[in-house]
Amino acid sequence: MSVVTPVREVAAMSTPTHVPRVRFCPAPSGWLHVGGARTALYNWLHARRRGGAFVFRVEDTDAQRATDESMRGMIDALSFLGLTWDEGPQVGGPFGPYRQSERQALYTAAADLLLASGAAYEAFETPDELREQREAAQAAGRPPGYAGGHRDLTDAQRAAFRAQGRQPVLRLRTPDTGTVEIDDEVRGTVTFDWSEIADFVIRRADGTATYVLANTVDDLAMGITLIARGEDLLSATPRQVLLISRLLAVEDGTSLLARALASAGLDGAPAPARPGYAHLPLLVGDDRKPLSKRHGSVAIDELRRQGFLPETLVNFLALCGWSYDGVTERFTVDELVERFSFDRVGRNPAAFDTDKLRSMNGDRIRDLPVAELAARLEPNLVDAGVLPAAVTADERALLAALTPLVQERIQTLAEAVDLIGFCFADEVAYDEQAVRKHLKGRAGEVLDAAAVALAEVEPWSDGAIMRALDGVAEDLGLGRGKTFQPVRVAVAGSAVSPPLPETLAVLDRATVVDRIRAARPLVAEPQQA
RNA sequence: GCUCCCGUCAUCUAGCGGUCUAGGAUACCGGCCUUUCAAGCCGGCGGCGCGGGUUCGAAUCCCGUCGGGAGCACCA
């Protein structure tokens, strides 16, 4: 399906709201965490549902923080989740480039035009002076925002500042009176007083664009119809709304934005319109504080490494702030696309509940076809060093046989490592506690008898092994607990493993018998013989 | 300090004036099952922040209050 052409047709009909264009625009610093992924997901879902376009734009205007590594991480994480973008890095699109570092000429042109039109003005305060003003204002109980000191400088004053070697920033003039109403798809109408909103910087002294400018210009230039982002940006919205008005202001038949686009030699959306808004509730940690590294794993890549399935993550993230009917919690991606809408998004912040995530992941693991699960387990076992990078056919066959045994015992793929790692190891790593607890008393007799019984049992199958072990138990007059556990510890090194007969059956008889004999000396004999 | 947002079990959430002695899920507790660990099944614990209104009737509407969060940057 083409996601680009319809926009032009729609623009021609001047009803741009029919085909939504949404975007996800992270700053490439750090990793994609669950909050960002949730924002990306909601946007993606919205675009997919209405046959619109999902635009991925990289906001790397702050060269200090942006890194290529982070950029790759974002791309990998989105790809892992299956959130494919229609326009953006790697795939291009009609309104590129999609990295803001490559669009500076556009912001410069827009800022120049804003200055020429009188919407913006030059301010010469240094960062230190602004900090002092802010502190003084705070101390006096006044709002800390810019007070408008350089709003109405004369040419002579500006020249004097320049003569001192100062470089000005550009500030946008905000109204002194009146209100702005923001019509938000999740919050309804939110009203702000213009008097609360100070003149803000759109271009830094070094000539680069700030977030508000770059972000607003690009949303317009790229024909974005709905801006869905975190609630933390709600109070920045009036400034963007104002900037949008200034950018869309028409003079001599062309908008300021169109002129900026032309002078930068870039293509923009044919008929940019004022985008709508949807401010998503914050995703917080289990302590109700904003998510950070302290909250364990909140990076998508880390969750992937731990063995969370992308379909679980997508399902779970969808539920972090959105609900369908309050009862249904299990959704396929297609069902989400079909059902998602911003009007079902809640307004209160959601805590990221790892326990529930694990539970949902376990459910999905259990529902996977065995062969599929085995295939997904493999890379995790390789990462953990249980399997070599080049997995042999034998190892793969063993994994396939083991997979049904772990399927209902793990919540994450990584948990399989502890459960069946011993099956692939050359040597058993004995858990000290397990040895102390189970290799004592009559365990020696059990191991001796089990070694003999298992060396002879025919066929080498779980049923026959079960009967052999039961025979040992009966001969010694012990229960299954007292017989199975010593054998389990001898073979697995641990008191916890998948069901014993089934597990032994998939291993070589020789391996099993050897391990039982090798463990024999570990048994602590009773003090009195 | 100012502005804005939010407030149902520990957690996520349903609820849009009567069907709510507030429903579901996770976690937790107990039982069944049982060779360990799980899974599964059954049962249990547990909540409308508070105070005023409006109304025959309020978790639902209004006001206040308290609490939490975000923003007020030459960061995004």
Side-chain angles (χ1 to χ4, degrees):
Chain A
M1 181 200 305
S2 168
V3 288
V4 173
T5 346
V7 172
R8 297 193 188 280
E9 293 166 4
V10 155
M13 300 185 300
S14 72
T15 49
T17 46
H18 287 327
V19 177
R21 290 179 56 81
V22 293
R23 82 314 194 252
F24 176 59
C25 44
S29 59
W31 290 266
L32 182 67
H33 57 91
V34 290
R38 199 267 315 254
T39 302
L41 173 65
Y42 285 13
N43 276 291
W44 183 86
L45 252 15
H46 183 76
R48 288 293 168 273
R49 173 172 165 79
R50 322 282 175 98
F54 177 58
V55 178
F56 177 22
R57 184 174 73 221
V58 183
E59 307 226 321
D60 54 350
T61 48
D62 183 0
Q64 303 290 311
R65 296 210 220 167
T67 68
D68 285 346
E69 187 193 9
S70 166
M71 168 83 183
R72 274 193 302 278
M74 297 275 169
I75 289 177
D76 289 348
L78 287 178
S79 303
F80 169 67
L81 294 174
L83 305 183
T84 49
W85 50 98
D86 305 298
E87 299 172 26
Q90 298 182 333
V91 302
F95 311 132
Y98 292 89
R99 298 183 66 148
Q100 292 191 328
S101 53
E102 296 167 18
R103 300 172 66 81
Q104 286 295 338
L106 173 62
Y107 314 136
T108 301
D112 285 343
L113 289 165
L114 253 6
L115 175 62
S117 76
Y121 62 90
E122 293 175 320
F124 292 84
E125 293 96 338
T126 63
D128 280 347
E129 288 168 350
L130 289 171
R131 188 176 40 75
E132 283 167 25
Q133 286 179 20
R134 199 161 35 238
E135 284 166 4
Q138 295 256 46
R142 282 179 282 117
Y146 184 66
H150 287 191
R151 239 188 186 195
D152 302 298
L153 256 25
T154 62
D155 288 346
Q157 286 173 310
R158 279 193 286 270
F161 279 127
R162 278 188 214 280
Q164 291 174 21
R166 297 191 184 217
Q167 289 300 316
V169 300
L170 242 43
R171 285 183 184 270
L172 201 78
R173 227 178 272 276
T174 60
D176 298 323
T177 58
T179 58
V180 226
E181 287 196 344
I182 289 143
D183 197 18
D184 191 283
E185 294 219 17
V186 346
R187 271 152 225 282
T189 304
V190 182
T191 309
F192 292 88
D193 272 321
W194 277 124
S195 62
E196 310 286 347
I197 297 152
D199 296 350
F200 56 95
V201 175
I202 57 174
R203 185 164 71 190
R204 304 183 184 104
D206 67 2
T208 58
T210 60
Y211 161 78
V212 230
L213 212 220
N215 181 267
T216 308
V217 164
D218 283 345
D219 283 343
L220 253 22
M222 294 179 181
I224 300 305
T225 59
L226 178 68
I227 295 173
R229 47 157 41 164
E231 186 206 316
D232 49 334
L233 268 335
L234 182 57
S235 37
T237 310
R239 304 203 294 266
Q240 289 179 306
V241 167
L242 177 68
L243 197 42
I244 287 169
S245 300
R246 301 284 112 105
L247 254 11
L248 256 26
V250 173
E251 199 179 293
D252 298 329
T254 25
S255 69
L256 196 153
L257 176 72
R259 277 177 280 145
L261 244 7
S263 96
L266 292 180
D267 288 329
R274 310 189 75 101
Y277 291 94
H279 285 97
L280 279 20
L282 254 32
L283 242 190
V284 297
D286 37 25
D287 56 359
R288 315 255 25 148
K289 296 281 186 236
L291 285 174
S292 72
K293 322 89 224 158
R294 292 181 291 103
H295 291 95
S297 17
V298 291
I300 296 298
D301 187 58
E302 177 60 24
L303 294 170
R304 177 190 63 76
R305 245 195 296 277
Q306 287 179 12
F308 287 97
L309 271 21
E311 54 267 48
T312 309
L313 257 8
V314 164
N315 191 158
F316 183 73
L317 252 17
L319 258 12
C320 285
W322 171 86
S323 74
Y324 177 62
D325 56 10
V327 175
T328 316
E329 297 200 316
R330 178 71 177 271
F331 299 96
T332 63
V333 173
D334 285 344
E335 286 167 341
L336 286 174
V337 167
E338 196 177 309
R339 295 178 189 171
F340 181 82
S341 72
F342 282 107
D343 55 26
R344 292 284 309 171
V345 171
R347 286 162 298 279
N348 45 326
F352 189 75
D353 184 350
T354 310
D355 279 336
K356 187 152 179 175
L357 208 214
R358 291 173 54 80
S359 164
M360 286 185 70
N361 202 54
D363 286 346
R364 297 201 97 110
I365 283 177
R366 255 161 263 130
D367 287 352
L368 246 28
V370 175
E372 173 70 21
L373 177 56
R376 301 221 198 183
L377 243 18
E378 198 176 295
N380 278 77
L381 292 172
V382 170
D383 279 354
V386 168
L387 286 173
V391 181
T392 67
D394 281 352
E395 286 162 336
R396 198 159 281 155
L398 180 54
L399 175 58
L402 252 11
T403 299
L405 304 181
V406 297
Q407 186 155 28
E408 62 185 30
R409 297 183 159 70
I410 56 176
Q411 308 254 67
T412 65
L413 299 178
E415 285 171 3
V417 170
D418 287 339
L419 226 39
I420 56 173
F422 71 89
C423 296
F424 299 94
D426 292 329
E427 282 190 28
V428 181
Y430 292 100
D431 176 72
E432 218 177 287
Q433 273 204 344
V435 170
R436 223 179 306 128
K437 182 163 181 198
H438 297 289
L439 296 189
K440 65 176 185 190
R442 299 182 65 193
E445 293 173 58
V446 171
L447 293 187
D448 289 339
V452 171
L454 293 176
E456 292 169 354
V457 67
E458 284 299 339
W460 185 245
S461 70
D462 57 343
I465 290 170
M466 177 68 125
R467 284 189 292 279
L469 291 176
D470 274 344
V472 170
E474 200 179 326
D475 290 348
L476 298 177
L478 294 169
R480 276 181 176 169
K482 292 278 185 213
T483 8
F484 283 55
Q485 283 307 80
V487 175
R488 190 190 309 279
V489 173
V491 178
S494 158
V496 176
S497 83
L500 198 56
E502 287 86 340
T503 307
L504 299 187
V506 302
L507 294 172
D508 287 337
R509 182 201 299 263
T511 305
V512 170
V513 174
D514 286 352
R515 285 188 182 183
I516 293 173
R517 292 202 171 116
R520 183 62 182 80
L522 295 176
V523 179
E525 295 300 340
Q527 294 304 305
Q528 296 295 327

